[in-house]
Amino acid sequence: MSILDPTADSPQQVRQRLTETWSDPYGTPGFFSTVDHKRVGHRYLVTSFVFFLLGGVEALLMRTQLATPDAAVLNPDLYNRMLTMHGTTMFFLFLGTIIAAWGNYIIPLAIGARDMAYPRMNALSYWVFLFAGIFLYASFFVGAIPDGGWFAYVPLTTDYSAGLAMDFWALGVVFVGISSTVGAINFIVTVFKMRAPGMTMSRLPLVVWSTLTTSFMILLSFPAITLAPLLMAFDRIVGTHFFDAALGGDPLLWQHLFWFWGHPIVYVVFLPPIGWLYMIIPTFTGRPIAGYNWAVAATVATGFISFGVWVHHMFATGLPDVTASFFSVASLGVSFPTAVAFFVFTATLWTARRIRWTAAMLWAVGALVSFVIGGISGVMVAIMPFDWQAHDTYFVVAHLHYVLVAGNVLPMFAAFHYWLPKVTGWMLDERLGKTSFWVTTIGLHVLFFPQHWLGLVGMPRRVYTYPAGLGWDVANLASTVGGYMFAAGVLIAMGNFFVSWRRRAPAGSNPWGAGTLEWATTSPVAPYNFAQIPEVHDRYPLWTLDGDVVDDPVGIAPQPGGVVLADEHHETLETVGLDARLGGVLAMPGPSYWPFWTAAATFLCFFGFLIQNPITLTLGLVAVAATLIGWHHGHLTGGEH
């Protein structure tokens, strides 16, 4: 550890040494060996957005098929496959990973750390996610696109789906589960051990609270969705009978395992975006969030209660009334902490010093308003008699998409407009940003609102066509028009990115005048994040008591006597306790190829299992063992920090 000596070191010399220490190798070696949380976050952003576009194209194909009665854009088989891959892509490759994208980039900066606690595990998490996505989409190239629905109910997918299609699905989902679990462990340790000195739990930015809560939820819920498809793969490939009622198995076990993950995942993909809004709205209202303690309590309570609601997806399976009543009450109960969160936002907006209606602010408020509509219809389906009527109708499709799109996609664009200047160093065009907001949001409501009515008049979900004369024509056509409007809004947002990239209007370190630590660094962020590890004395360290913004924060301009750390290798501070007392200095691992090779070896394992080739499977297992030994060789011999 080194302390800045003003007689020997200038701030420029400190920054130069830190840059040399923390920079990745140049070119291809750096691409495959980097463990920098910012580059990992970039990759998550780009990759998950590509999957978002793929899932969107699949949705548009289905919506085009349903625009008119008896259409023939897709045949029934291809419709089933698009339905399966749309849901699988959106849940497993976009909604659950876009939160990892911003989490990877923002969390270390928001808590004043130099990197994640386990940088190589962080890189492994991304490479596993990428290989899992490649694994799932490889099914398109061998004519075995999964066709059993993203929910993959048994025995439909064990007894009535021949070929490799659902094998791709089952093993691909297990593959993704590994990535999410590894990432969750990393976030938890990072938050508890690497906060800047003085960042007590009561000063933790709300985006960190939401990410921390979500990480615990992933640790508790993802084993179910990792185990269930693995058991399905054994039933399909090895010949076991976990879900075969004739031989002692239980098909209902699949639904319990699937929905034990399937309902908390809604909050897993919703809580971090709410955390993004907790960061964005105070900035543009010029005041701290109102009711910080209530917001923390609502976040943790939502995560806790969400584990008691999965059975409301199974009200129509013939559960005992007492059991169903308990889960109905729990499903209604989860709306209370959500309502508290919205009261917090309302109070913040109501008492704003001055609201700045930037594009990011529009996306944020639009997300809140739209989410309320989806949330209200969720309260309706928590009531058993209504759920029995609406079950498997288009009403459920409307509710699900309102919640997920308003609760995740719109906040994603808000975060995109808010933090991209920090990521790139240049500003997005505000006019195009506002245009894309209005087109996308109007498209969202035209797309999904008529689907409520379609469900109430009896249109079932998961059908590839319908005859004329049922009264569903106009609403389906309107919904499809809304789908294309939504797509046009996304295209405008993408066009904004490329136009702004060409213009490169400089952002400066804190273009919005925000108060949290991620803005106490340069834009784009230097390889070492903070030139001097900051000390935190307030929830908004960059705001003075008068509401002014701090000039020259220590993350950019280190001060004499400040802790700068590390001249020769990666180091960061460890803090302990809820009050973030200084605990010591952590030596951090540097760039490494082993995460990439471990993920590639795991891919070989899954491929061998898929094609039922013992030699390939054995080679994969040996490769995984070899890469793990290589990974830890330096630690075992003391050759690495």
Side-chain angles (χ1 to χ4, degrees):
M1 182 173 81
S2 61
I3 304 297
L4 183 61
D5 178 359
T7 63
D9 297 297
S10 69
Q12 291 76 14
Q13 288 172 318
V14 169
R15 288 196 290 264
Q16 179 62 33
R17 289 204 309 273
L18 287 170
T19 300
E20 292 170 357
T21 301
W22 285 83
S23 292
D24 289 321
Y26 183 75
T28 304
F31 180 85
F32 286 101
S33 67
T34 184
V35 295
D36 183 338
H37 74 96
K38 299 180 291 296
R39 294 188 72 179
V40 174
H42 289 169
R43 291 172 184 184
Y44 264 115
L45 270 177
V46 173
T47 310
S48 55
F49 195 78
V50 168
F51 284 123
F52 169 69
L53 296 179
L54 289 173
V57 169
E58 290 153 359
L60 278 182
L61 286 172
M62 290 189 289
R63 259 289 113 217
T64 306
Q65 165 66 21
L66 293 172
T68 56
D70 298 315
V73 177
L74 301 175
N75 60 41
D77 180 62
L78 189 54
Y79 187 92
N80 275 346
R81 296 180 192 280
M82 291 299 102
L83 173 72
T84 304
M85 285 308 295
H86 167 69
T88 303
T89 302
M90 288 303 191
F91 266 109
F92 294 101
L93 301 178
F94 167 66
L95 292 169
T97 53
I98 191 68
I99 59 176
W102 284 118
N104 264 291
Y105 198 94
I106 294 301
I107 297 301
L109 296 173
I111 63 174
R114 287 255 165 84
D115 206 328
M116 297 286 282
Y118 304 120
R120 291 184 181 177
M121 276 179 63
N122 203 29
L124 173 68
S125 175
Y126 169 74
W127 288 119
V128 168
F129 157 60
L130 177 64
F131 278 114
I134 293 172
F135 184 89
L136 275 166
Y137 269 84
S139 63
F140 280 71
F141 299 99
V142 296
I145 307 169
D147 59 356
W150 66 273
F151 39 85
Y153 284 156
V154 298
L156 175 68
T157 51
T158 49
D159 296 344
Y160 303 100
S161 180
L164 293 176
M166 291 310 293
D167 295 337
F168 268 111
W169 186 91
L171 295 174
V173 169
V174 174
F175 210 170
V176 176
I178 296 171
S179 167
S180 301
T181 305
V182 169
I185 295 169
N186 210 354
F187 280 122
I188 292 170
V189 178
T190 300
V191 171
F192 278 115
K193 300 298 290 183
M194 303 185 70
R195 287 169 284 143
M199 181 171 278
T200 63
M201 296 302 281
S202 62
R203 293 171 183 158
L204 213 55
L206 287 168
V207 71
V208 183
W209 271 110
S210 63
T211 303
L212 183 63
T213 304
T214 301
S215 298
F216 278 110
M217 293 172 68
I218 289 173
L219 280 189
L220 293 173
S221 66
F222 268 66
I225 196 59
T226 306
L227 173 65
L230 187 61
L231 297 182
M232 179 203 287
F234 278 122
D235 273 12
R236 290 177 54 86
I237 299 173
V238 181
T240 55
H241 303 282
F242 291 106
F243 303 116
D244 186 351
L247 292 169
D250 186 355
L252 207 57
L253 172 63
W254 170 266
Q255 289 201 38
H256 278 293
L257 289 172
F258 183 83
W259 289 116
F260 185 77
W261 161 86
H263 202 85
I265 188 63
V266 173
Y267 299 97
V268 164
V269 304
F270 162 67
L271 283 179
I274 283 289
W276 307 338
L277 305 187
Y278 279 133
M279 304 293 274
I280 295 170
I281 288 179
T283 296
F284 295 115
T285 53
R287 58 149 297 163
I289 194 80
Y292 172 92
N293 293 336
W294 285 103
V296 173
T299 301
V300 176
T302 301
F304 182 77
I305 299 174
S306 71
F307 282 96
V309 300
W310 86 90
V311 174
H312 81 221
H313 293 271
M314 300 167 62
F315 282 160
T317 60
L319 295 169
D321 287 346
V322 173
T323 304
S325 298
F326 170 82
F327 285 99
S328 178
V329 171
S331 301
L332 291 168
V334 78
S335 62
F336 288 102
T338 309
V340 169
F342 280 81
F343 283 127
V344 166
F345 285 119
T346 304
T348 305
L349 289 164
W350 190 268
T351 56
R353 297 176 66 186
R354 179 174 64 90
I355 298 178
R356 288 180 287 160
W357 290 106
T358 62
M361 185 65 168
L362 281 175
W363 283 101
V365 174
L368 292 175
V369 173
S370 302
F371 185 84
V372 169
I373 298 174
I376 289 173
S377 59
V379 173
M380 295 166 72
V381 294
I383 301 168
M384 281 188 291
F386 184 88
D387 184 82
W388 291 331
Q389 297 298 317
H391 189 80
D392 272 349
T393 71
Y394 241 80
F395 189 92
V396 179
V397 177
H399 161 64
L400 173 70
H401 285 83
Y402 251 114
V403 170
L404 294 178
V405 176
N408 185 290
V409 178
L410 298 189
M412 174 192 74
F413 281 110
F416 181 71
H417 286 80
Y418 182 64
W419 279 311
L420 200 73
K422 176 56 61 182
V423 176
T424 62
W426 40 264
M427 301 293 289
L428 285 168
D429 183 277
E430 278 289 301
R431 184 174 56 84
L432 285 172
K434 293 176 181 178
T435 304
S436 63
F437 163 75
W438 287 112
V439 175
T440 306
T441 306
I442 293 172
L444 160 72
H445 292 281
V446 176
L447 168 59
F448 295 122
F449 200 83
Q451 294 179 3
H452 290 104
W453 184 82
L454 283 170
L456 292 175
V457 297
M459 181 171 172
R461 62 196 296 199
R462 303 164 188 158
V463 292
Y464 94 102
T465 191
Y466 54 92
L470 296 177
W472 302 345
D473 310 17
V474 174
N476 266 304
L477 181 61
S479 183
T480 304
V481 170
Y484 278 93
M485 282 186 68
F486 188 90
V490 172
L491 288 176
I492 294 170
M494 293 171 62
N496 185 11
F497 175 84
F498 290 109
V499 168
S500 303
W501 186 6
R502 187 179 177 86
R503 290 176 182 165
R504 291 179 181 269
S509 63
N510 191 0
W512 309 121
T516 44
L517 271 185
E518 74 270 25
W519 301 99
T521 63
T522 55
S523 300
V525 182
Y528 48 83
N529 286 2
F530 298 93
Q532 176 182 319
I533 303 297
E535 286 190 34
V536 177
H537 304 284
D538 194 82
R539 288 175 188 155
Y540 295 89
L542 299 191
W543 282 348
T544 67
L545 292 177
D546 298 326
D548 297 326
V549 179
V550 173
D551 294 325
D552 298 326
V554 296
I556 301 172
Q559 301 298 311
V563 179
V564 296
L565 295 172
D567 297 303
E568 299 172 355
H569 55 81
H570 293 194
E571 283 183 350
T572 193
L573 288 183
E574 175 196 18
T575 50
V576 296
L578 298 180
D579 53 352
R581 286 170 283 111
L582 182 61
V585 177
L586 290 176
M588 306 286 288
S592 170
Y593 294 104
W594 291 117
F596 171 79
W597 287 119
T598 303
T602 309
F603 179 89
L604 185 61
C605 268
F606 278 80
F607 180 68
F609 196 7
L610 175 76
I611 62 173
Q612 302 176 43
N613 184 311
I615 296 176
T616 308
L617 178 60
T618 305
L619 283 175
L621 291 171
V622 170
V624 169
T627 55
L628 289 176
I629 291 171
W631 183 329
H632 294 93
H633 176 73
H635 299 290
L636 298 173
T637 60
E640 287 189 15
H641 292 280

